[in-house]
């Protein structure tokens, strides 16, 4: 759907943005336009959220559509539901833009079947870092309420949220927009035919003009783009060269939490956990002897660079890897920077629903001039040796 | 009117003894409650602890393992292993304060149709007293 | 078997021993903790060159990875390796040997009376060096350092079982007396032959650590009691594990969980949509991804009797669930069913591999 085709509707005023979303979902279920919804709910201990698939409308009262933190990447919830096929349930999932983008990547990878899913997202101010939230849920909620009002992340938010350009996005079926709008006003905007159909069936009054909201978003976006540039510069300086890479990942203990928290890394058994990647004991001793010593477990840098190669084209910079790291390595900053480069190489943006296939699923006969240069240089070198 | 509570007891029954015992109970027209949901396994030792836990967390009000009497296992020693594993699961449940009464292991041979009916009746009654498994309602599992 | 008196800087003496062994070709490699000065961090390293042994900090109270787990991938190389392990790492390795995931054949095991290790978040903050003097003072008095892992403070197995060489650090390592290095086995005597130091026939006497033991047992009782504070049962379980994010980090750093692909990550736990529909119709709601509590309960039944309480699982949990405390508490009970102590004896079979004809007469 192009920008000019976008259609929106005005939602009845509610106390908080989240309440307006809940009212919308209640209406959709009551009118039998959806069988179930997926929303975050506070866990009983009160210090985190969990994704809950629900069709019991009374449970909606306890749901928090716009949650302060994201303990589990929403795309993983969608994957667990539809990995084996789309099924017959029409389910509306309300998630952060980066979660929807990860779900779109996973659908390209055949791990999410979105046919009967209605993916809804909202203007995301950022998410509070998981550990900070768990340590102080009440304080974090307060800070998030402020973030929500300003549309900007504060320093309790994940570092990648500060540099996220796609915090308000149309590649979902539905989008709830409120940033830049007068207080308590909320728009629901269709991003696909599926979304448009739902809005029409719900009979919501359509909004003629989206420009106020769009302007608000653009202003916020400008800040983030600026922050992104300077953050990437900083990351580049830290990460550059082998020593840089080593120092950033120096504390890595090889737990692979970053990989298991990653929505894109869907492999049941990661190559780096498999027998193929397992070094045989003799080879390990030999490797140690060559260097006088070797750090264990081996291949920790190999793991991270390998993962960059394997999944950075689909990285949505959601920051889950950093949140899951027990030794606070800025994994997400590094991956976000690398992903920006690899995706740029193929003029690909992860998480877009524009029909662009995954870069590694296609090729053009003439492309990547830079690589040709490298090949030419290598050829020249070979012939000069001959 | 409040619907009467009908327990659901997931029952893993060994093909050689307990399942045949259940068959015998049936052919002998012995009454036992519909709460028993039989699942045939090749041996009581085929029941991984996670089977019990899954049944429990999915809302089974009771979980029953039926196997051959010690010494009578078709595979010689399977039921001894089953007994150890059962002891482990029961201990984990007790440590965590979960109702270990919802787990039961019983030795029922192929010729013990009456015993099968008796165990089914008694266990169902026991579970009736415990009431519905709270896992049936919990959504955070 | 004999013992060697070493000075109070036991770490230096162990380093010297490793150097001696490498230089004299008695071993091909040494597995020990190492300090990486440029990053102010630590790692576990396999050192083959004696000149690199200066980087070793064999007794540092830091565990970045359970060395028993790592050892399982190198112990069968056929090369002679001296390994410095914390008592729980050694016990973990014994459990792995029982599972045919390693062998003692070419290893010289060096362990020490252990004061516990610092959690990884202190390590990552670079605070270890400053914490060590106080730590050493505390353990030499037989007391428990406050900021170590909770399962360390509650650990009663701080005296190594089955080590070839035991270095006494906790309790008896006071300044005037000096620390002792006990050679417990023929193998140890053989390897240490020619290593400088005053020998005596003194044997390790665990009774000097009675005070430490009592303190640890009291601490354990406190820890276990605190876990049932809000009442046991399903609600408590959901309270404890409800915020689990399903990263399975507890499983990947667990030295006992050696399966390449855990059952809970296998296709057995992928569900068709009808499964979800059924839950919706019965409960009105269901958590996604499912099986959060199930994973922990399953792991408890699969491995808790072998749990050595090393505490790695709690350290890697991104949401601070006290995984290790739960596993230690539950594991002690499941192990006690079989009079089993994980890591006590490599010749012992794990409880689920054997049985007795007459046991558990109340079951069945």
């Amino acid at each position: 759907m192009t920008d000019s085709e976008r259609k929106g509707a005005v939602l009845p005023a509610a106390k908080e943005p989240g309440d307006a979303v809940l009212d919308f979902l209640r209406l959709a279920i009551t009118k039998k336009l959806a069988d179930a919804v997926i929303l975050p709910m506070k866990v009983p201990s009160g210090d985190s959220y969990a994704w809950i698939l629900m069709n019991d409308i009374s449970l909606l009262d306890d749901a928090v559509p716009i949650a302060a933190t994201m303990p589990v990447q929403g795309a993983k919830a969608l994957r667990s539901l539809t990995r084996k096929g789309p099924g017959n349930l029409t389910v509306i999932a309300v998630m952060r833009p980066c979660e929807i983008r990860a779900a779109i990547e996973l659908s390209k990878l055949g791990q999410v079947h979105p046919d009967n899913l209605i993916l809804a997202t909202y203007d995301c101010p950022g998410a509070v870092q998981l550990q900070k939230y768990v340590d102080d849920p009440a304080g974090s909620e307060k800070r998030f309420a402020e973030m929500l009002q300003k549309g900007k992340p504060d320093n309790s938010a994940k570092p990648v949220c500060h540099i996220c350009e796609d915090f308000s996005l149309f590649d979902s079926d539905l989008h709830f927009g409120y940033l830049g709008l007068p207080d308590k006003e909320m728009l629901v905007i269709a991003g696909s035919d599926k979304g448009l159909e739902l809005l029409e069936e719900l009979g919501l009054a359509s909004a003629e003009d989206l420009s106020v909201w769009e302007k608000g978003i653009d202003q916020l976006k400008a800040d983030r783009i600026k922050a992104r540039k300077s953050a990437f510069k900083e990351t580049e300086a830290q990460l550059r060269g082998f020593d840089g890479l080593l120092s950033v990942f120096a504390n890595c203990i090889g737990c692979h939490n970053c990989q298991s928290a990653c929505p894109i890394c869907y492999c049941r058994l990661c190559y780096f956990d498999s027998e193929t990647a397992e070094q045989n004991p003799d080879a390990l001793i030999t490797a140690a002897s060559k260097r006088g010593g070797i750090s264990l477990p081996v291949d920790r840098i190999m793991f991270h660079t390998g993962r960059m190669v394997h999944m950075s084209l689909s990285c949505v910079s959601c920051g889950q890897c950093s949140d899951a790291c027990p030794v606070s390595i800025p994994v997400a900053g590094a991956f976000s920077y690398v992903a920006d480069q690899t995706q740029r190489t193929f003029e690909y943006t992860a998480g877009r629903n524009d029909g662009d296939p995954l870069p590694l699923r296609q090729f053009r006969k003439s492309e990547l001039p830079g690589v040709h240069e490298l090949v030419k240089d290598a050829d020249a070198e070979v012939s000069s040796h001959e | 009117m409040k619907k009467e509570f009908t327990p659901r007891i997931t029952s893993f029954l060994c093909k050689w003894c307990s399942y045949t015992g259940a068959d015998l109970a049936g052919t002998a027209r012995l009454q036992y409650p519909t709460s028993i949901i039989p699942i045939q396994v090749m041996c009581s030792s085929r029941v991984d602890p996670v089977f019990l836990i899954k049944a429990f967390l999915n809302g089974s009000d009771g979980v029953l393992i039926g196997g051959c009497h010690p010494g009578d296992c078709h595979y010689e020693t399977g039921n001894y292993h089953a007994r150890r594993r059962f002891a482990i699961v029961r201990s984990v449940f007790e440590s965590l304060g979960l109702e270990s009464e919802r787990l039961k292991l019983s030795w029922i041979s192929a010729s013990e149709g009456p015993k099968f009916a008796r165990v089914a009746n008694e266990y169902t009654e026991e579970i009736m007293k415990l009431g519905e498994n709270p896992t049936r309602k919990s959504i955070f599992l | 078997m004999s013992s060697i008196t070493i000075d109070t800087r036991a770490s230096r003496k162990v380093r010297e021993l490793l150097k001696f062994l490498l230089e004299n070709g008695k071993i091909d490699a040494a597995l020990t903790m190492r300090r990486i000065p440029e990053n102010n961090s630590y790692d576990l390293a396999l050192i083959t060159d004696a000149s690199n042994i200066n980087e070793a900090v064999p007794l540092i109270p830091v565990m970045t990875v359970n060395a028993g787990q790592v050892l399982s991938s190198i112990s069968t190389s056929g090369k002679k390796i001296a390994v410095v392990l914390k008592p729980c790492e050694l016990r973990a390795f014994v459990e792995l040997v029982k599972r045919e995931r390693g062998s003692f054949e070419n290893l010289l095991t060096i362990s020490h009376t252990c004061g516990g290790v610092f959690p990884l978040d202190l390590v990552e903050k670079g605070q270890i060096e400053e914490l060590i003097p106080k730590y050493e003072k505390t353990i030499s008095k037989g007391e428990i350092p406050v900021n170590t892992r909770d399962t360390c403070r509650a650990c009663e197995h701080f005296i190594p079982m089955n080590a070839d060489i035991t270095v006494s650090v906790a309790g008896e390592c006071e300044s005037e007396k000096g620390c002792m290095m006990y050679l417990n086995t023929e193998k140890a005597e053989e390897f240490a032959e020619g290593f400088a130091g005053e020998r005596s026939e003194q044997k390790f006497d665990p009774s000097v650590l009675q005070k430490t033991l009592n303190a640890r047992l009291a601490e354990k009782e406190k820890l276990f009691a605190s876990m049932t504070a809000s009442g046991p049962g399903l609600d408590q379980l959901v309270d404890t594990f409800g915020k689990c994010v399903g990263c399975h980090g507890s499983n990947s750093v667990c030295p006992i969980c050696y399966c390449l692909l855990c059952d809970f990550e296998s296709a057995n736990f992928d569900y068709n949509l009808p499964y979800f529909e059924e839950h919706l119709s019965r409960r009105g709601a269901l958590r996604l991804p499912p099986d959060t509590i199930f994973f922990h309960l399953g792991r408890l039944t699969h491995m808790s009797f072998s749990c050595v309480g090393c505490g790695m699982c709690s350290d890697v949990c991104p949401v601070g669930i006290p995984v290790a405390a739960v596993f230690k508490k539950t594991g002690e009970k499941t192990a006690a069913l079989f009079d089993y102590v994980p890591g006590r004896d490599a010749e012992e079979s794990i409880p689920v591999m054997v049985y007795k004809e007459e046991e558990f007469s109340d079951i069945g």
Side-chain angles (χ1 to χ4, degrees):
Chain A
M1 211 170 256
T2 65
D3 284 6
S4 56
E5 286 171 334
R6 275 182 203 160
K7 286 217 177 99
V10 185
L11 285 182
K15 271 197 303 210
E16 301 288 339
D19 296 329
V21 174
L22 285 179
D23 288 342
F24 176 88
L25 296 174
R26 275 191 200 99
L27 190 64
I29 291 190
T30 322
K31 291 203 166 181
K32 302 221 179 309
L33 296 170
D35 298 310
V37 295
I38 302 176
L39 288 172
M41 238 167 114
K42 269 241 166 128
V43 294
S45 54
D47 51 359
S48 189
Y49 291 92
W51 289 110
I52 304 290
L53 169 71
M54 55 183 109
N55 62 356
D56 179 349
I57 203 160
S58 68
L59 285 172
L60 279 175
D61 301 342
D62 298 324
V64 186
I66 304 181
T69 186
M70 50 187 283
V72 175
Q73 232 276 5
K76 295 184 75 143
L78 296 174
R79 174 167 63 113
S80 70
L81 181 66
T82 64
R83 191 178 200 165
K84 291 194 145 184
N88 305 317
L89 287 181
T90 302
V91 180
I92 307 180
V94 183
M95 294 178 173
R96 290 190 143 79
C98 56
E99 297 176 302
I100 299 296
R101 286 190 286 125
I104 291 170
E105 283 305 299
L106 282 180
S107 76
K108 293 182 185 180
L109 292 160
Q111 299 297 311
V112 163
H113 293 91
D115 314 39
N116 293 321
L117 296 176
I118 296 173
L119 303 177
T121 182
Y122 48 84
D123 297 341
C124 175
V128 177
Q129 291 171 43
L130 185 54
Q131 203 167 0
K132 285 195 175 152
Y133 188 90
V134 172
D135 289 345
D136 176 19
S140 298
E141 288 292 348
K142 223 181 265 170
R143 302 181 73 158
F144 183 70
E146 271 170 43
M147 280 162 61
L148 206 53
Q149 206 160 34
K150 292 185 190 143
K152 287 180 189 173
D154 71 5
N155 58 13
S156 70
K158 303 182 188 196
V160 282
C161 295
H162 292 264
I163 61 168
C164 174
E165 299 173 78
D166 295 321
F167 59 96
S168 171
L169 179 94
F170 271 106
D171 283 359
S172 52
D173 300 309
L174 289 175
H175 185 90
F176 297 100
Y178 58 91
L179 288 180
L181 294 182
D183 208 17
K184 315 260 184 267
E185 248 182 56
M186 189 177 244
L187 291 167
V188 53
I189 304 146
S192 69
D193 293 341
K194 215 196 269 178
L196 197 58
E197 211 172 292
L198 181 70
L199 289 191
E200 278 166 7
E201 284 184 65
L202 285 170
L204 287 166
S206 68
E208 295 304 319
D209 186 17
L210 302 177
S211 64
V212 180
W213 170 73
E214 280 168 341
K215 232 170 101 189
I217 294 296
D218 284 344
Q219 266 172 12
L220 290 166
K221 200 181 256 184
D223 287 350
R224 306 247 193 139
I225 292 174
K226 224 165 89 190
R228 187 179 176 87
K229 275 195 185 135
S230 71
F232 279 172
K233 216 176 239 170
E234 219 171 279
T235 307
E236 186 182 1
Q238 284 169 357
L239 206 58
R240 266 261 125 116
F242 190 63
D243 288 339
L245 194 63
L246 267 182
S247 77
V248 169
F249 290 99
N251 280 328
C252 176
I253 59 166
C255 69
H256 296 189
N257 268 9
C258 46
Q259 177 250 104
S260 27
C262 176
I264 306 302
C265 273
Y266 66 84
C267 293
R268 204 183 286 294
L269 180 64
C270 176
Y271 168 79
F272 296 103
D273 290 324
S274 75
E275 226 159 39
T276 323
E278 215 171 274
Q279 298 257 19
N280 81 44
D282 302 337
L284 273 175
I285 305 271
T286 311
S289 306
K290 276 186 188 157
R291 297 165 176 82
I294 194 171
S295 178
L296 296 171
V298 287
D299 291 343
R300 302 202 300 278
I301 295 294
M302 166 87 175
F303 167 73
H304 293 291
T305 46
R307 223 165 70 77
M308 284 172 183
V309 171
H310 278 168
M311 58 61 68
S312 70
L313 281 168
S314 290
C315 174
V316 297
S317 297
C318 63
Q320 291 301 87
C321 43
S322 281
D323 267 8
C325 180
V327 289
S328 307
I329 296 168
V331 194
F335 273 70
S336 187
Y337 162 73
V338 170
D340 185 71
Q341 308 264 328
T342 54
Q343 291 177 21
R344 207 186 289 270
T345 308
F346 296 96
E347 289 163 20
Y348 180 78
T349 308
R352 284 282 141 84
N353 219 352
D354 49 12
D356 243 9
L358 293 166
L360 294 183
R361 290 267 171 90
Q362 57 162 1
F363 59 86
R364 285 179 225 122
K365 283 196 174 158
S366 168
E367 63 175 352
L368 303 170
V371 177
H372 283 284
E373 290 302 314
L374 284 177
V375 175
K376 252 193 277 169
D377 289 352
D379 283 350
E381 207 167 296
V382 171
S383 53
S384 75
H385 282 298
E386 279 166 4
Chain B
M1 203 183 86
K2 207 179 157 215
K3 220 177 112 200
E4 206 190 318
F5 167 53
T6 321
R8 297 197 309 179
I9 298 173
T10 307
S11 310
F12 298 99
L13 306 176
C14 125
K15 171 191 162 87
W16 305 100
C17 289
S18 306
Y19 197 88
T20 315
D23 261 355
L24 187 61
T27 47
R29 301 186 177 263
L30 300 169
Q31 290 278 327
Y32 68 89
T34 54
S35 54
I36 301 288
I37 305 162
I39 297 172
Q40 192 188 71
V41 286
M42 286 306 283
C43 176
S44 52
S45 65
R46 174 63 185 91
V47 183
D48 188 298
V50 302
F51 294 6
L52 305 183
I53 299 166
K54 185 68 182 173
F56 174 82
L57 292 176
N58 264 7
S60 291
D61 302 298
V63 191
L64 173 70
I65 302 178
C68 308
H69 284 272
D72 291 348
C73 176
H74 185 78
Y75 307 99
E76 315 247 326
T77 61
N79 49 4
Y80 292 125
H81 290 287
R83 186 167 63 187
R84 283 209 157 194
R85 288 191 204 137
F86 183 84
I88 292 171
V89 184
R90 191 176 64 171
S91 165
V92 168
F93 268 54
E94 280 164 1
S95 294
L96 298 173
L98 302 173
E99 297 159 300
S100 60
E101 302 86 347
R102 295 195 187 274
L103 311 175
K104 187 176 178 66
L105 186 152
S106 198
W107 308 129
I108 301 164
S109 80
S111 61
E112 291 179 320
K115 183 175 178 188
F116 182 84
R118 182 167 54 82
V119 168
N121 278 305
E122 284 173 5
Y123 192 40
T124 302
E125 244 169 69
E126 215 177 296
I127 296 294
M128 293 279 276
K129 271 184 220 148
L130 278 175
E132 200 178 272
N133 189 344
T135 59
R136 278 206 201 188
K137 292 274 152 60
S138 182
I139 58 173
F140 286 100
L141 303 175
Chain C
M1 300 299 116
S2 63
S3 56
I4 305 172
T5 307
I6 54 185
D7 69 11
T8 50
R9 279 154 297 175
S11 200
R12 198 182 69 183
K13 201 68 185 177
V14 176
R15 200 156 45 219
E16 277 169 18
L17 175 64
L18 295 177
K19 195 169 183 177
F20 164 82
L21 293 170
L22 276 173
E23 276 175 347
N24 291 285
K26 295 197 172 197
I27 55 170
D28 300 296
L31 181 76
T32 168
M33 287 301 291
R34 176 176 68 165
R35 199 165 96 82
I36 314 168
E38 55 264 40
N39 298 315
N40 200 13
S41 63
Y42 304 89
D43 66 0
L44 185 70
L46 188 68
I47 299 176
T48 51
D49 187 338
S51 64
N52 287 342
I53 215 77
N54 295 331
E55 296 165 1
V57 280
L59 306 180
I60 192 92
V62 169
M63 190 192 292
T64 52
V65 53
N66 187 303
Q69 185 183 35
V70 171
L71 192 53
S72 99
S73 63
I74 52 176
S75 67
T76 53
S77 65
K79 295 283 183 350
K80 293 218 168 355
I81 307 172
V83 296
V84 188
L85 303 170
K86 294 170 179 73
C88 60
E89 294 177 321
L90 182 54
R91 291 168 62 219
F93 185 64
V94 168
E95 287 302 298
L96 286 167
V97 169
K98 290 177 191 172
R99 290 163 171 80
E100 297 178 16
R101 301 291 296 178
S103 154
F104 277 105
E105 203 185 321
N106 290 303
L107 301 182
L108 174 72
T109 54
I110 304 168
S111 190
H112 54 90
T113 50
C114 180
V117 301
F118 292 115
L120 287 173
D121 55 348
L122 291 180
V123 180
E124 155 231 316
K125 285 179 189 133
Q127 294 177 355
I128 299 305
E129 299 292 316
E130 52 192 276
L131 288 169
I132 283 184
K134 194 170 170 211
Y135 169 91
E136 286 181 343
K137 213 165 153 192
T138 313
I139 62 167
S140 74
K141 283 190 282 185
E143 289 164 10
I144 305 171
V146 281
N147 35 16
T148 46
R149 286 181 181 166
D150 59 355
T151 42
C152 289
R153 298 199 298 276
C155 172
E156 75 221 68
H157 297 301
F158 53 90
I159 300 170
M161 303 172 183
N162 310 306
D164 292 315
I165 297 176
T166 301
V167 184
S168 73
V169 180
E172 67 170 14
C173 195
E174 283 154 49
S175 47
E176 63 274 16
K177 220 165 84 186
C179 305
M180 299 293 286
M181 190 182 266
Y182 297 95
L183 309 177
N184 305 325
T185 59
E186 295 282 354
K187 203 194 232 176
E189 293 281 3
E190 211 174 287
F191 274 92
E193 204 189 314
F195 181 57
E198 180 198 324
R199 307 280 164 138
S200 70
E201 291 304 301
Q202 195 181 326
K203 282 221 170 95
F204 181 73
D205 174 16
S207 69
V208 296
L209 291 168
Q210 193 58 43
K211 187 182 160 197
T212 313
L213 181 62
N214 292 343
R216 299 280 186 102
L217 288 172
E219 193 74 21
K220 185 170 91 177
E221 218 160 282
K222 238 168 57 191
L223 176 70
F224 287 178
S226 74
M227 288 158 58
T228 45
S230 56
L234 190 67
D235 290 344
Q236 163 79 15
L237 192 64
V238 173
D239 259 7
T240 310
F241 289 106
K243 62 184 161 182
C244 169
V245 296
C247 69
H248 295 190
S250 48
N251 152 342
S252 44
V253 298
C254 177
I256 309 301
C257 274
Y258 68 87
C259 295
L260 214 45
L261 182 66
C262 176
D263 198 18
F264 291 95
E265 278 151 23
S266 73
N268 292 345
F269 295 88
D270 282 352
Y271 302 109
N272 287 313
L273 208 80
Y275 173 88
F276 297 99
E277 287 175 43
E278 210 249 357
H279 274 269
L280 279 180
S281 69
R282 277 203 286 126
R283 304 179 196 224
L286 168 75
R287 181 189 190 130
L288 292 180
D291 294 339
T292 301
I293 302 289
F294 186 27
F295 167 72
H296 296 285
L297 274 176
R299 227 164 69 76
L300 277 169
T301 57
H302 277 169
M303 57 60 69
S304 68
F305 47 82
S306 285
C307 171
V308 295
C310 68
M312 281 305 298
C313 47
S314 283
D315 256 25
V316 299
C317 179
V319 289
I321 298 169
V323 193
V326 176
F327 274 68
K328 185 177 163 68
K329 185 181 178 189
T330 312
E332 279 192 8
K333 293 270 170 57
T334 49
L337 291 174
F338 312 101
D339 200 12
Y340 185 75
V341 178
R344 177 172 54 190
D345 179 1
E347 298 302 315
E348 232 173 340
S349 291
I350 52 174
V352 287
M353 296 301 285
V354 289
Y355 63 89
K356 285 185 197 143
E357 284 183 15
E358 302 294 329
E359 60 179 353
F360 302 112
S361 56
D362 62 322
I363 294 176

